[in-house]
Amino acid sequence: MFGVANFDRQSIINNTVALAKATRVFEVPVVLTSVETKSFSGNLWPQILAVFPEQPAIERSSMNPWDDKNFVAAIKATGRKKLVFAGLWTETCVALPTVQALHDGYEVYIAAAVLGDVDLVALM
């Protein structure tokens, strides 16, 4: 969450947890991922891990999840062609994989209430 300036950080956490819980209720497949947890972004929030206690997160080295073969493989393994992306930061962790997923034939939706960004106008 360091650098997030576009929304109240607690609201982003609360909205993200609500979205995570909704995926469990409606049995929507979820792919968890984080970038460079040891040196850059830190671990996934404990609130998210509490919703998915048995699900490991894909550790990636690129800000763009679509650059990670394990992430793309996990998406393909869901068998779904409609995706909902949520993440920090909007301009890289969400926008870049959205463009690539669209190119690869996926239908992509963005969960805007859970996005965080360093730019105050990133979602405008």
Side-chain angles (χ1 to χ4, degrees):
M1 289 291 270
F2 66 90
V4 169
N6 65 323
F7 286 126
D8 169 65
R9 292 175 184 174
Q10 190 59 54
S11 293
I12 293 172
I13 292 170
N14 293 345
N15 292 344
T16 303
V17 171
L19 177 62
K21 289 179 177 179
T23 66
R24 296 292 303 261
V25 170
F26 293 105
E27 299 180 357
V28 175
V30 172
V31 176
L32 298 175
T33 183
S34 190
V35 60
E36 296 288 344
T37 56
K38 303 277 189 267
S39 63
F40 178 68
S41 66
N43 294 315
L44 288 174
W45 302 330
Q47 301 93 321
I48 297 300
L49 296 175
V51 177
F52 304 104
E54 303 298 320
Q55 185 172 343
I58 296 170
E59 175 77 16
R60 61 184 205 279
S61 60
S62 172
M63 292 291 285
N64 178 357
W66 214 262
D67 286 344
D68 187 287
K69 65 180 178 155
N70 294 321
F71 177 82
V72 175
I75 294 294
K76 288 179 181 178
T78 70
R80 304 290 179 103
K81 292 302 278 184
K82 293 182 181 184
L83 307 176
V84 177
F85 283 155
L88 302 173
W89 295 326
T90 310
E91 296 162 331
T92 54
C93 297
V94 176
L96 293 175
T98 295
V99 170
Q100 290 177 280
L102 289 169
H103 177 268
D104 290 349
Y106 290 89
E107 189 174 331
V108 181
Y109 299 87
I110 307 299
V114 303
L115 301 179
D117 205 285
V118 296
D119 189 345
L120 292 172
V121 295
L123 296 175
M124 294 184 169

